[in-house]
Amino acid sequence: MPKSHRQRKNRDDTSRRTIAAELVRSDDDSTVTVSVSSEAPYEREEGVFEVLVHNSKSVDLSRIRKGHVLYNHDATKVVGRVLDVWLDEAKRKVYAKLRFGQTQLARETLQNIRDKILNGFSIGYAIRHYVREGARMLVDRWIISEISVTPTPADLAVGVGRSHTPNHHTARRQITMQTDQDSFKREAGLRKMAAIINQRGVSVSEHQIQDAIRNNLDDGAFLRRHLAEDPSQNFSDNGDVLDEMRRSTRQEFSLCRALSGALSREGVTGYEAEVMQEHCAKTGQRMAADSILIPFEALGQRSMLAGSYGAGGSTVATDMGALIPKLDPMPVVEQAGATLLRGLTAPTSLPRHTTAAIAEWVAEAQEVSKSTPGTDDVMLTPHGLACYSEVSRQLAITSSIDVEAFLRQELLRRLNLGIDKAALVGSGVSGTPKGLFSLAEAAINVVTFGGAPTWAKIVEFGGEVEDQDGANGRLSWITSAPVKAKWQATTKDSGSGMFLAEGDQANGSRIHVTSQLRGTDGEDRVLFGDFSQLVVSTFGALEVLVDQSSALHRRGLIGLTALVHADVAVRQGKAFARSSDKGNQ
């Protein structure tokens, strides 16, 4: 492909781009460490995509080392200064350690960063030299001139947003940009696969890679084309080798590999050990002997929906009779829209607005009455939740994707069900969070059926929430299967032929069903509201304690105790209404 070079020196104009920053750590009360740039492509001209090359010869950090931190590129709004800045060539990112000042804007900005309300960091940079390669403009000499916190990253969907003045870019150009970025990702995937194939003794040339790019081959077809050409590789088309290679290139955390290492003399090694060490370094969480720490984001890469064939259920092997899962309740609060906060490292306070200031009409020269808005705090504190199970030693050290999926599913499902139940009916005592059915009646709207369910009572739930200004989000129902069945069989009136519940909805809102209310104070009762006002949080990482006691060892078993710290909290109880009695009388 022909290349054209253009030299740019002492450009007067400063380019900008915004990254959805990774908050690496918060060092003290006024200091944070964040990522501020990456190699993601950015559409610079019609069909031309700029890539900032991140290596020691390309990026100049001299000007920014003692620079200031601005708010939204406004030189009059200095919120901090740069303490240190460095390049991580392995991750292809620039990181910066920033100290924020004590002005009100600086303090608010820092707090919003820590609360992950603001996560956009924009850099201003000048281009010194670039190389054109087809549709790409590789900037191989550039200098960072400023760092700003910005509230409006423009393109979070691809990991990096762009901060620039809106101009004549059209929807068609945005689609072209996304398509070109997809081709860059496909090319990167093909080159990774080529490296793996070369390691297996099969030579893949640049011409063959370019041919695959032109023909839009995916990585699977690329692997099969080249491995099938070499009989010595004994390549079968059953997908096992393909899956193995994909996993090796994506570097996914394997619970089976971690367990196998924990059971061996060497301990956990490789990628799994790196993930655990990095987590401990970032959060300060300590890892006990005979335990494994698994960050939730590592498990989330391959999380599975139990019982869903299309979401992983089809990978369970048919010869594993002992692994047939039991029929379990489905966690429902997340489906209903609960707010999830993961990876907290300490008790967290959520400020809550309780009463509003008052606006009043005043005559000329009349003094305005003083009114102060009221606030309080909703606290999230770690509550321990643990589950214990026994699995065969042979199963735990197996590298099968089926076993990996089963173990992940089993651990996460037990813990998710425990958190889900606490969010609904947790008592708030003995280390248990307080759930929605345990809130005092003054803190939540209450509806009494007083007999068979009627359309008027269904409507009353929505009316109670709306009357408290709580119907601002997506509204949902949570109840039991018998209640839903009763509503589906009960007509609204004698003539319409319509029922209280039509399909999975009642009065326009989705009904979520769970058996977790069975045998509790919430059994066959009804809960309605805006579940985004329910906060579910987790602290640190999932810890798995491995028990190899002699009693288990003689039976070829190991004990696994999964421990997580979590909490649930209600931001605005009046955004919910619950029934005081059963909804299927």
Side-chain angles (χ1 to χ4, degrees), residues 375-523:
T375 61
D376 65 4
D377 295 306
V378 175
M379 286 298 300
L380 294 167
T381 56
H383 297 258
L385 175 67
C387 69
Y388 175 82
S389 61
E390 294 175 355
V391 298
S392 73
R393 184 182 181 90
Q394 182 179 359
L395 179 70
I397 63 176
T398 300
S399 60
S400 165
I401 183 176
D402 305 317
V403 175
E404 176 79 27
F406 170 76
L407 289 177
R408 285 172 180 252
Q409 171 182 310
E410 186 67 11
L411 290 177
L412 287 177
R413 188 169 180 78
R414 298 301 139 214
L415 296 173
N416 281 337
L417 285 172
I419 296 172
D420 196 71
K421 190 169 185 175
L424 295 173
V425 295
S427 63
V429 298
S430 301
T432 305
K434 179 176 286 189
L436 287 162
F437 277 110
S438 299
L439 293 181
E441 290 195 359
I444 191 171
N445 302 297
V446 178
V447 175
T448 301
F449 283 98
T454 63
W455 179 245
K457 288 296 180 182
I458 300 295
V459 173
E460 186 177 341
F461 278 88
E464 290 288 339
V465 172
E466 288 182 356
D467 188 53
Q468 297 294 328
D469 299 319
N472 296 317
R474 186 184 72 184
L475 302 175
S476 301
W477 304 87
I478 291 180
T479 188
S480 65
V483 171
K484 179 181 175 182
K486 178 74 173 181
W487 290 8
Q488 289 175 328
T490 303
T491 56
K492 288 184 177 181
D493 51 46
S494 59
S496 68
M498 301 181 68
F499 296 85
L500 301 184
E502 299 282 347
D504 291 330
Q505 292 194 341
N507 198 22
S509 296
R510 172 77 182 275
I511 303 174
H512 299 275
V513 169
T514 179
S515 61
Q516 297 236 82
L517 298 177
R518 195 176 298 152
T520 71
D521 289 340
E523 184 167 11

Side-chain angles (χ1 to χ4, degrees), residues 219-252:
D219 53 1
F222 186 68
L223 285 168
R224 290 185 170 86
R225 168 184 287 187
H226 293 285
L227 289 183
E229 291 174 355
D230 185 354
S232 67
Q233 297 302 309
N234 192 25
F235 177 77
S236 62
D237 198 39
N238 60 12
D240 293 341
V241 175
L242 174 61
D243 182 72
E244 176 189 344
M245 289 188 173
R246 282 174 170 167
R247 289 180 63 176
S248 66
T249 56
R250 292 177 185 175
Q251 288 288 286
E252 292 182 355

Side-chain angles (χ1 to χ4, degrees), residues 24-25 276-286 293 343-346 540-541:
V24 178
R25 62 181 179 270
M276 291 189 287
Q277 291 167 3
E278 185 174 356
H279 171 79
C280 291
K282 287 182 179 179
T283 66
Q285 186 174 1
R286 296 183 177 180
L293 284 181
L344 301 181
T345 57

Side-chain angles (χ1 to χ4, degrees), residues 277-354:
Q277 291 167 3
E278 185 174 356
H279 171 79
C280 291
K282 287 182 179 179
T283 66
Q285 186 174 1
R286 296 183 177 180
M287 183 166 52
D290 296 326
S291 71
I292 301 169
L293 284 181
I294 312 173
F296 284 99
E297 59 269 26
L299 275 177
Q301 290 174 358
R302 297 189 65 146
S303 62
M304 302 184 66
L305 301 177
S308 175
Y309 188 89
S314 59
T315 68
V316 179
T318 57
D319 61 350
M320 294 182 182
L323 301 187
I324 297 175
K326 68 182 291 290
L327 296 176
D328 283 318
M330 288 295 293
V332 292
V333 295
E334 184 175 345
Q335 296 179 34
T339 299
L340 306 180
L341 297 178
R342 292 195 173 99
L344 301 181
T345 57
T348 301
S349 173
L350 302 178
R352 175 171 57 186
H353 194 182
T354 55

